[in-house]
Amino acid sequence: MNAFAQVETDSLLTDAVLTLEDAIQVAVANNPEVNRAILSVKDADELVDIARSEVYPNISSSLNYTRNIEIPVSYLPAQIFDPNAPEGQLIGVPFGTDNNWQGGFTVQQNIFRGEVFVGLSTSEIYKAVQQENLRSVTQQVITRTRVAYYQVLVAKEQLRLQEIQIKRLEQNLNNNQARQRAGLVDDYAVLQLEVQLSNQRPQLIEARYDVDEAFRNLKVALGIPLEIDFEVKGNLNSFDIIAGEVESDENAGIKRVDQMNPFTFQIKQDNWSSLIEERGDLRVLDARLNLNEKEIQAVKSRFLPTITATYNLQWSAAQSGSPKFFQNPPPETAPNRIQSLAINVSLPLFEGFKRTSDVQRAQIARKDIEVQQRAAKLVAENEIASSAERLNKSYETATARKQALEQAEEGYQRALRRLENGVGSQIEVTDAEVQVRQAEVNYALMVFEYLSAKAEYDLATGRVPFVDVDDAE
């Protein structure tokens, strides 16, 4: 998936014709969901560093200077200085110096703290969750892009068929008008074509709007402005779903994407559960389950003691009179050094029932994830079975659809020759025209159904093109 970050979107769209592979790259590079998932992975990296910082020692330094404008006075019994002083008499004695300096370092190290060590492994699992989420989101975006791309192709194909139908009807109308003037056909044959042509024109208008809508949906999937115009490459009527090799260059990209996760025609699959292990949503739930297990361990570790070590190194100095910075002090005011090492053990004995309730809530959350897993597996098996059945149906009907298209075209040509030779009728030509159009539409829709089902099958099995199974980066 790293290749997507190198895609130059503008250069792809300025080529006027967008292939399916280009569309997938543009969608992954621009889609907001993918970008947010990437940011979540980066945020998880930072959380890993934060968790590791709890294992390292915490070192702090301090520096303090105090100027006593008035020396503090303490009161002591006068008899300390004068034995003859009255009982109870106090005398004020100044304590301190005009200038005082203090500075040093403090090092604190966690020796044992359950939550810290559990949190370190938890942060790694959280990152794995975000990576699996990125993989799942990317798979969904690619699948939506593929389906939207195919929808543009089928909409364009239906528009093309409508335009061909109109052109054929106009050509037949001109021919019949010429035959009418020659006395070969009556007015009813001409009127019949005019009515058919009038009924067909609104369908042409609807087909044009369908193409515009399909392009807008594709642009949304690509994450690009709607005003950008481009064409797509591919022809559903010339796409053979059975052939392993592509028959035309315009369908080469579609065939390559289609064959990245080959589907084998099979009437019945007894065990769909064997195909769900690589699904993105299930892998996310597995990662969340591992994360929940670490959360339970972290909560339980709150019942254990916390042991820390603190080392303190301080210097202090004092000076009378005006302060003299950055000068060698006299021996009597040289800095004094103080060192201390402390071991701290803390064990919370009773905090109400909060810790017990926290453990229970974490275990309830685990059961909830397990319920989600069971439901997701049922949905996954159903999605794989449904998409596989649609693929099987396309395989079984492909040959018949293709043969029907060839036969309809042959029948239309024969009807035209019969009409030209005066042994046929306009009704035969009209019926043959309808059959050709229906056969072309049926074949294009069959190919669209296959390609859409294939995209959904890839998503359902977790093997979407361009997304590695074992690499979520």
Side-chain angles (χ1 to χ4, degrees):
M1 284 168 52
N2 292 336
F4 293 132
Q6 302 170 2
V7 174
E8 295 293 340
T9 304
D10 295 338
S11 64
L12 289 174
L13 296 179
T14 53
D15 292 337
V17 178
L18 197 65
T19 67
L20 176 59
E21 295 163 301
D22 292 339
I24 290 174
Q25 293 183 16
V26 171
V28 175
N30 291 333
N31 189 273
E33 296 178 34
V34 175
N35 292 332
R36 291 188 63 191
I38 292 175
L39 292 176
S40 296
V41 173
K42 293 181 178 179
D43 182 65
D45 285 331
E46 301 303 323
L47 290 177
V48 171
D49 292 338
I50 293 175
R52 288 174 179 171
S53 66
E54 295 292 334
V55 180
Y56 299 137
N58 184 1
I59 304 175
S60 61
S61 63
S62 63
L63 179 64
N64 179 51
Y65 166 73
T66 303
R67 171 67 179 184
N68 288 320
I69 299 176
E70 293 184 356
I71 302 298
V73 175
S74 297
Y75 290 92
L76 300 176
Q79 290 181 347
I80 295 177
F81 304 98
D82 184 6
N84 298 320
E87 184 72 25
Q89 182 179 357
L90 299 177
I91 184 173
V93 178
F95 279 91
T97 56
D98 297 321
N99 306 286
N100 297 274
W101 289 271
Q102 275 190 329
F105 299 91
T106 300
V107 180
Q108 188 172 22
Q109 173 67 54
N110 284 317
I111 298 177
F112 179 81
R113 186 180 176 190
E115 282 188 288
V116 170
F117 299 105
V118 175
L120 185 59
S121 57
T122 300
S123 63
E124 296 285 355
I125 296 178
Y126 177 76
K127 179 181 177 180
V129 172
Q130 300 306 318
Q131 289 174 334
E132 287 296 342
N133 181 65
L134 172 59
R135 178 178 176 272
S136 177
V137 170
T138 305
Q139 287 184 339
Q140 296 173 25
V141 169
I142 291 176
T143 302
R144 289 201 299 265
T145 302
R146 291 171 68 183
V147 174
Y149 190 94
Y150 302 146
Q151 287 176 337
V152 171
L153 290 179
V154 74
K156 291 185 62 179
E157 185 63 27
Q158 290 178 321
L159 174 61
R160 184 186 70 84
L161 296 176
Q162 290 291 342
E163 291 173 342
I164 293 175
Q165 177 78 349
I166 294 292
K167 187 180 295 184
R168 286 175 177 173
L169 288 174
E170 291 175 343
Q171 183 179 2
N172 289 342
L173 179 60
N174 292 334
N175 293 338
N176 277 328
Q177 287 175 342
R179 292 189 181 94
Q180 179 192 22
R181 290 190 294 269
L184 299 178
V185 296
D186 57 9
D187 295 342
Y188 179 73
V190 175
L191 179 60
Q192 189 179 32
L193 279 175
E194 290 175 342
V195 172
Q196 188 176 356
L197 186 60
S198 298
N199 288 332
Q200 199 69 34
R201 293 190 188 279
Q203 297 183 29
L204 177 63
I205 297 174
E206 292 178 1
R208 288 172 178 166
Y209 278 103
D210 290 341
V211 171
D212 293 338
E213 182 180 3
F215 265 108
R216 287 198 304 272
N217 292 335
L218 177 58
K219 292 174 183 178
V220 171
L222 297 180
I224 61 175
L226 298 181
E227 59 268 17
I228 296 180
D229 293 325
F230 58 89
E231 285 296 328
V232 295
K233 191 175 184 179
N235 186 349
L236 297 185
N237 255 330
S238 63
F239 188 88
D240 191 344
I241 69 173
I242 299 178
E245 301 294 331
V246 66
E247 297 180 353
S248 60
D249 180 67
E250 59 183 345
N251 289 326
I254 299 176
K255 178 63 75 172
R256 279 195 297 270
V257 173
D258 178 58
Q259 292 298 314
M260 287 183 180
N261 180 27
F263 174 80
T264 303
F265 174 71
Q266 48 193 341
I267 297 298
K268 185 178 180 181
Q269 173 75 29
D270 295 328
N271 185 17
W272 296 112
S273 60
S274 61
L275 302 177
I276 66 175
E277 299 300 327
E278 296 168 2
R279 275 180 63 106
D281 55 346
L282 292 180
R283 288 173 54 144
V284 169
L285 287 174
D286 288 338
R288 285 182 55 195
L289 197 62
N290 294 334
L291 180 63
N292 177 265
E293 182 64 30
K294 292 298 180 180
E295 291 176 352
I296 293 176
Q297 294 179 12
V299 174
K300 289 182 177 180
S301 68
R302 297 173 188 169
F303 291 89
L304 301 176
T306 299
I307 304 175
T308 60
T310 304
Y311 171 74
N312 190 26
L313 175 63
Q314 298 286 330
W315 286 271
S316 62
Q319 182 188 34
S320 301
S322 300
K324 297 178 182 180
F325 297 95
F326 309 109
Q327 295 183 14
N328 292 328
E332 63 272 12
T333 60
N336 295 316
R337 186 177 66 186
I338 303 173
Q339 295 187 73
S340 63
L341 176 63
I343 302 296
N344 307 303
V345 180
S346 173
L347 177 62
L349 297 179
F350 183 72
E351 296 180 351
F353 300 99
K354 180 180 182 301
R355 288 178 295 175
T356 304
S357 297
D358 288 340
V359 173
Q360 295 295 329
R361 292 190 63 203
Q363 292 174 342
I364 291 173
R366 178 181 179 83
K367 293 180 181 179
D368 181 66
I369 296 175
E370 292 174 347
V371 171
Q372 294 180 50
Q373 278 186 320
R374 289 194 293 269
K377 288 180 179 179
L378 293 176
V379 172
E381 292 178 9
N382 179 64
E383 289 179 352
I384 296 176
S386 298
S387 57
E389 288 177 357
R390 291 170 58 192
L391 290 173
N392 287 335
K393 181 178 68 175
S394 300
Y395 273 112
E396 292 191 75
T397 59
T399 302
R401 294 292 186 194
K402 190 173 184 179
Q403 185 178 6
L405 178 60
E406 295 172 352
Q407 292 174 341
E409 185 63 34
E410 177 64 24
Y412 176 73
Q413 296 299 329
R414 289 185 180 184
L416 282 179
R417 289 194 295 270
R418 284 171 56 84
L419 182 62
E420 292 172 354
N421 294 330
V423 296
S425 65
Q426 181 58 46
I427 295 178
E428 291 179 351
V429 176
T430 301
D431 290 342
E433 170 72 25
V434 172
Q435 291 177 1
V436 170
R437 178 179 177 275
Q438 189 63 46
E440 290 176 332
V441 169
N442 290 341
Y443 187 83
L445 290 176
M446 182 272 299
V447 175
F448 169 74
E449 175 71 14
Y450 165 80
L451 292 174
S452 299
K454 184 56 167 53
E456 294 173 0
Y457 177 82
D458 292 344
L459 178 63
T461 57
R463 290 186 170 272
V464 175
F466 302 106
V467 181
D468 295 334
V469 174
D470 298 323
D471 183 12
E473 287 290 348

